Amino acid sequence: MKSSQPMETAFEQALQRELSQADRPLSRDALLRAAALACRTVLDERWAATQAADAVRGAQAPVRRVHYLSMEFLMGRALGNAVAALGLDPQLRASFAAQGQSLPDVLERENDAALGNGGLGRLAACFLDAFAELGLPSFGYGLRYQYGMFAQGIQAGRQVEAPDDWMALGNPWEVLRPEARYTVGFGGRVVVEAGGARRWLPAEQLVAQAWDFIVPAHHSERVSTLRQWQASAAAPIDFAAFSRGDYAGAASHRVAADALNWVLYPDDSTEAGRELRLKQEAFLVSASLQDMMARHLREGGTLDTLGRANAVHLNDTHPALAPAELMRLLLDEHGLAWEAAWAITRQAVSYTNHTLMPEALEAWPVRLFEALLPRHLEIIYEINHRFLQQVRARCPGDDALLARVSLIDEGGTHGGERRVRMAALAVVASHRVNGVAALHSELMVQTIFADYAQLFPERFHNVTNGVTPRRWLQQGNPALGSVLDARIGQGWRQDLSQLAQLKPLAGDAMLAAEFMAVKQANKQRLAALIRRELGLVVNTDSLFDVQIKRIHEYKRQLLNILHVIARYQAIVADPGADWVPRTVILAGKAASAYAMAKSIIQLAHDVGRVVNSDPRVGDKLKLVFLPNYGVSLAETIIPAADLSEQISTAGTEASGTGNMKFALNGALTIGTWDGANIEMAQAMGEQNMFVFGLRTEEVARIKSLGYDPRLYVEGNRQLQAVLDAIAHGDFSGGDAGRYRSLVDKLLGSDPYLLMADFGAYVEAQQQVDALYRDPAAWGQRAVANVAGMGWFSADRTVAEYAERVWSAKSLGDAGLSGGGLG
């Protein structure tokens, strides 16, 4: 795939063309748009070449074209990645310098694409990078959110949400694909036609319009595509209503269509929010599958080869409607018989589960399905009927099993309301189901999917997550990348396993010193950001202790805050002791309706206000909360971290990818034996991590015996003093009621066992202090951490999916026709 002219020439011509059209003098925003559009000129040509190459593969290709469905893609800024991938850094620096601007200043003007929120979306973005790097025929499919989840602000210590209007000045990275438009229906009724065929007559029809976001490879001319769907009303305005002056009524259906693209994860605590969220998921699935089928047929494929030529991968449970929609398209739109349609669906669909939390396994009310997706509900009923017939034949008389595995919850767990179990649908319809870390995959088949794993054990497997080294080391920490280049060469940029060459160098004092010098420079950069954004001066010689992730009780940011309070109280009691200075840095968003998570954010600010202003403490301790966490902020924080907090209750974190990014950048991990922490410890040596706390089997045992958190509090005077301080209002201006519910929950139920793990956590933090007092030893551990991270590349993860899930040979023949058991 060679360009028709040298890339540098094409880029320069495009850049000069854009600059000539901009207002003078040239602003940083104008330079950003010009550079983005110039890069896009080059990438468009690569996109066309990639699609042309993929189109001639055919159904017998060793790896099927992957269609990766995800409600989130947390992309981050695109210009820096494109410039690095295209090798245009020197050229762009020179062009900007001629305009009196610097490349870093211009890059800072780009908004993060608000298309995701947490680790799920960032993993999907890393996969797009790996798809391109590995040359995997693929499309990522998502929604074109206008306002993302929300922009997080802080007022008086409280989280406030506002629209994240990231496209206010346009988005130069996306490409409209006018030819890719599909109709998606909702509501209406199902009618029986002559011959008994069933046909859905939707009451509402929307148009899905494709916009493409192009992601380049760094070591080839391949690109991958994120295709985003924009909803619009299929019908024009109501002209009669407009003519009589009812302008709002004339366009109400257009506003309802627009709402599908406004916000990621609308608050589903209301009926309207639940309806909008289900419509978003159905819209994503229908448009994506129609696009896949149209491409397959356009390229000369036939329906009987659809499943063997195309993989449909569900990134968590949100797109789990895909099997029902694919069956509808095959049955109703293409006239296939049930058995043939089901065989194709089973061949195509695979599913990744990302959580053990039952509340995250979506279960939609049947009445909502009846109202919005009546034909899909019929199909799900039929899938369930055939599936349960096979279960009944295999396990006669086991009615309890039938109730547990049924795709329909008859009301036993939802207050009498019948619901469709979407995770169950994904499992039954998929030929492969995986977790995302070894422990998670093991627990998945022991807990939430235990019955299904007994019925078809060969379907379940593990694929541990990974991150892209291009963004999270090469771009995010170029100084460390240069140190690695000098010691082991540049091969790690394409093959992260080459980091293993650092292992025999871990004891090299000079290398450790180089690592720590890079870390210090990165800490100074972060300290400047903290001062600029918050007006707070932090000591760059202090230990930077970082926890950045979605705010949730199981991730235990609260345990971190309790340790800060304990440390604060100890410093106040003995300010003259030899304290290791520490700056604790938190960032993350709480879901808008998640009251406890928002209370944790407020407590962090209240504690920070007291600690940071106490003259007895000075630089010995600071607590910082950086608002509006996203990829770009992470790219500044992660390279500066000394200590990475990965402290979820054992058995609750599926994998984590933040833990990998931190370790890849030379931060040491303090963490529980949970998620991918375990595999990281095994790769780098457990002695190079600070592991603490109860393990999964101990958590289960304690809960089974009847966990009483008060016993742990009564046995730990330090913990008791911390809770007393919160309860008495020491950090809330004397307002003893502000955190009453938080303290009561810790003392009453403490579902994530903070009280049980607090003592071990404090002891582990003392080990952290002891090591940090020895900079040379700390630096050697940092080198060992990086050396052990070669396996945790998204390239390796995607290669495992390609081999075990998406390759044609992974399908085999068993279980891909007939019913659901396999």
Side-chain angles (χ1 to χ4, degrees):
M1 296 189 307
K2 291 297 181 183
S3 301
S4 58
Q5 60 181 323
M7 178 188 61
E8 293 79 3
T9 302
F11 174 78
E12 188 62 34
Q13 290 175 353
L15 179 63
Q16 293 308 316
R17 182 172 61 250
E18 297 299 333
L19 292 177
S20 69
Q21 299 177 52
D23 295 333
R24 304 288 171 152
L26 290 168
S27 67
R28 291 172 182 170
D29 288 338
L31 288 171
L32 172 67
R33 288 193 297 272
L37 291 168
C39 286
R40 215 185 75 189
T41 299
V42 177
L43 294 177
D44 278 349
E45 186 172 341
R46 293 189 174 188
W47 184 86
T50 297
Q51 295 307 310
D54 291 350
V56 298
R57 297 167 48 259
Q60 301 306 315
V63 178
R64 300 176 292 161
R65 182 185 268 129
V66 177
H67 303 80
Y68 194 81
L69 276 58
S70 178
M71 288 295 285
E72 296 187 47
F73 287 88
L74 193 56
M75 302 304 296
R77 291 170 174 161
L79 180 57
N81 185 57
V83 168
L86 298 173
L88 294 171
D89 189 278
Q91 189 172 351
L92 203 56
R93 286 182 186 274
S95 296
F96 285 176
Q99 303 295 334
Q101 299 284 0
S102 73
L103 178 58
D105 287 343
V106 173
L107 294 178
E108 284 295 318
R109 298 299 300 167
E110 183 178 0
N111 290 324
D112 278 30
L115 303 173
N117 173 48
L120 180 80
R122 186 52 231 171
L123 179 75
C126 284
F127 278 14
L128 290 174
D129 177 274
F131 291 167
E133 195 71 12
L134 298 180
L136 185 71
S138 62
F139 275 83
Y141 283 112
L143 295 183
R144 185 175 178 258
Y145 302 107
Q146 187 172 357
Y147 303 115
M149 187 172 175
F150 57 80
Q152 181 193 52
I154 301 295
Q155 292 181 3
R158 295 181 173 88
Q159 172 180 291
V160 292
E161 301 92 23
D164 186 357
D165 197 5
W166 69 283
M167 290 194 289
L169 300 177
N171 176 18
W173 289 106
E174 61 185 8
V175 182
L176 175 65
R177 304 294 185 196
E179 71 285 357
R181 292 167 61 86
Y182 305 96
T183 301
V184 179
F186 294 102
R189 59 195 176 92
V190 180
V191 298
V192 182
E193 297 182 331
R198 305 186 71 81
R199 175 126 348 233
W200 180 27
L201 301 177
E204 176 187 8
Q205 290 192 319
L206 304 181
V207 172
Q209 172 63 63
W211 293 77
D212 285 354
F213 190 111
I214 302 171
V215 180
H218 284 244
H219 298 93
S220 76
E221 293 193 6
R222 292 279 306 190
V223 299
S224 65
T225 306
L226 168 58
R227 178 154 288 183
Q228 305 165 82
W229 298 111
Q230 176 70 49
S232 62
I237 63 170
D238 182 339
F239 198 78
F242 184 86
S243 297
R244 64 176 179 264
D246 183 9
Y247 305 133
S252 60
H253 62 295
R254 299 176 67 111
V255 174
D258 289 345
L260 263 73
N261 288 99
W262 282 348
V263 176
L264 166 67
Y265 300 146
D267 181 359
D268 60 0
S269 64
T270 66
E271 185 67 18
R274 286 188 288 273
E275 178 178 324
L276 179 57
R277 185 157 171 173
L278 179 56
K279 289 180 75 172
Q280 284 183 327
E281 294 175 2
F283 184 76
L284 165 65
V285 162
S286 181
S288 303
L289 293 179
Q290 289 184 68
D291 191 50
M292 176 192 75
M293 294 181 74
R295 184 182 306 106
H296 176 73
L297 297 175
R298 185 172 64 246
E299 293 175 355
T302 58
L303 289 178
D304 64 304
T305 63
L306 181 69
R308 287 198 169 271
N310 299 278
V312 176
H313 198 85
L314 313 180
N315 188 33
D316 214 12
T317 313
H318 312 118
L321 190 64
E325 172 64 3
L326 185 53
M327 288 292 289
R328 185 191 72 81
L329 292 170
L330 293 170
L331 294 169
D332 299 358
E333 304 298 327
H334 293 277
L336 266 65
W338 181 276
E339 297 291 336
W342 184 242
I344 292 169
T345 298
R346 286 285 324 282
Q347 287 176 332
V349 176
S350 52
Y351 165 49
T352 294
N353 171 271
H354 284 275
T355 180
L356 297 171
M357 301 293 171
E359 65 269 20
L361 303 178
E362 291 178 318
W364 294 108
V366 165
R367 57 177 172 74
L368 190 57
F369 255 86
E370 289 174 333
L372 292 179
L373 302 165
R375 179 59 177 142
H376 297 79
L377 183 60
E378 286 186 348
I379 291 170
I380 291 170
Y381 280 155
E382 183 64 18
I383 293 172
N384 195 43
H385 170 69
R386 294 175 179 238
F387 169 59
L388 292 182
Q389 277 188 323
Q390 294 193 353
V391 176
R392 190 177 289 111
R394 182 182 292 188
C395 307
D398 194 342
D399 292 341
L401 174 63
L402 292 175
R404 292 196 304 271
V405 301
S406 173
L407 306 190
I408 307 300
D409 180 349
E410 298 296 342
T413 58
H414 291 99
E417 185 172 38
R418 301 176 72 233
R419 294 191 175 226
V420 181
R421 293 166 167 158
M422 301 307 292
L425 174 61
V427 170
V428 169
S430 295
H431 68 277
R432 295 289 265 169
V433 178
N434 71 280
V436 289
L439 177 64
H440 169 237
S441 295
E442 179 183 341
L443 293 174
M444 185 177 70
V445 301
Q446 294 174 358
T447 57
I448 55 173
F449 297 144
D451 291 313
Y452 303 103
Q454 288 291 320
L455 292 169
F456 24 73
E458 74 290 342
R459 196 170 300 184
F460 291 87
H461 68 123
N462 174 64
V463 183
T464 298
N465 284 341
V467 301
T468 171
R470 268 78 62 183
R471 181 175 291 271
W472 294 110
L473 182 49
Q474 178 179 322
Q475 294 164 233
N477 200 346
L480 181 57
S482 296
V483 171
L484 297 177
D485 290 346
R487 291 295 185 130
I488 63 173
Q490 296 188 8
W492 62 269
R493 295 170 184 261
Q494 189 171 9
D495 177 9
L496 199 63
S497 68
Q498 293 189 23
L499 290 180
Q501 298 175 46
L502 287 171
K503 288 184 179 180
L505 305 177
D508 186 327
M510 185 173 295
L511 178 59
E514 292 173 359
F515 261 59
M516 297 310 292
V518 168
K519 183 69 69 176
Q520 183 63 21
N522 290 330
K523 291 168 72 171
Q524 290 170 354
R525 177 178 171 225
L526 176 56
L529 182 147
I530 292 170
R531 183 168 188 172
R532 184 170 66 249
E533 297 295 323
L534 302 178
L536 180 65
V537 177
V538 299
N539 176 11
T540 57
D541 291 326
S542 67
L543 183 150
F544 277 25
D545 175 351
V546 179
Q547 188 176 19
I548 50 174
K549 54 184 74 227
R550 177 168 53 96
I551 308 298
H552 195 290
E553 289 171 273
Y554 86 83
K555 294 178 183 290
R556 301 204 296 190
Q557 286 92 349
L558 182 53
L559 181 62
N560 192 344
I561 297 169
L562 297 180
H563 171 248
V564 171
I565 296 171
R567 196 176 186 90
Y568 168 69
Q569 291 175 331
I571 291 172
V572 169
D574 189 5
D578 181 23
W579 293 101
V580 172
R582 188 180 291 230
T583 299
V584 178
I585 299 166
L586 300 174
K589 296 179 181 179
S592 58
Y594 193 170
M596 182 59 73
K598 296 176 93 169
S599 180
I600 291 169
I601 290 176
Q602 186 177 9
L603 178 62
H605 282 86
D606 280 349
V607 172
R609 186 185 64 254
V610 171
V611 171
N612 298 343
S613 61
D614 193 325
R616 297 170 294 180
V617 175
D619 283 345
K620 299 182 185 72
L621 183 63
K622 289 285 190 289
L623 176 58
V624 178
F625 189 100
L626 284 164
N628 209 32
Y629 177 57
V631 175
S632 294
L633 184 56
E635 288 175 328
T636 299
I637 295 174
I638 289 172
D642 292 305
L643 186 67
S644 163
E645 297 269 353
Q646 308 296 331
I647 58 176
S648 54
T649 311
T652 59
E653 184 68 84
S655 169
T657 54
N659 47 6
M660 302 172 191
K661 295 162 195 166
F662 280 109
L664 188 60
N665 282 270
L668 275 59
T669 300
I670 183 169
T672 49
W673 203 246
D674 195 29
N677 289 355
I678 300 169
E679 288 150 280
M680 286 170 54
Q682 292 166 345
M684 69 179 64
E686 189 176 340
Q687 72 278 7
N688 290 311
M689 290 178 64
F690 301 99
V691 179
F692 76 94
L694 298 169
R695 304 212 171 182
T696 305
E697 60 277 9
E698 295 172 310
V699 169
R701 180 177 57 82
I702 287 175
K703 287 186 173 182
S704 69
L705 293 174
Y707 173 56
D708 184 356
R710 290 180 183 271
L711 296 178
Y712 291 89
V713 177
E714 292 167 0
N716 189 319
R717 295 179 61 185
Q718 187 180 39
L719 177 56
Q720 193 165 18
V722 168
L723 295 180
D724 286 347
I726 298 172
H728 295 157
D730 291 7
F731 300 101
S732 49
D735 181 0
R738 182 176 301 176
Y739 299 111
R740 180 173 293 125
S741 62
L742 185 151
V743 173
D744 287 347
K745 188 170 186 179
L746 289 177
L747 293 174
S749 61
D750 187 23
Y752 298 108
L753 282 76
L754 280 72
M755 303 297 93
D757 271 351
F758 177 83
Y761 181 53
V762 171
E763 289 179 10
Q765 292 286 13
Q766 292 170 351
Q767 296 170 22
V768 170
D769 286 342
L771 184 65
Y772 197 73
R773 286 189 174 95
D774 185 346
W778 187 278
Q780 290 174 10
R781 292 270 191 99
V783 174
N785 270 249
V786 176
M789 291 306 296
W791 192 71
F792 298 94
S793 168
D795 297 348
R796 186 270 314 157
T797 303
V798 166
E800 289 191 11
Y801 277 109
E803 173 67 20
R804 289 197 250 125
V805 185
W806 302 329
S807 71
K809 69 178 183 180
S810 72
L811 294 176
D813 295 316
L816 297 183
S817 63
L821 274 177

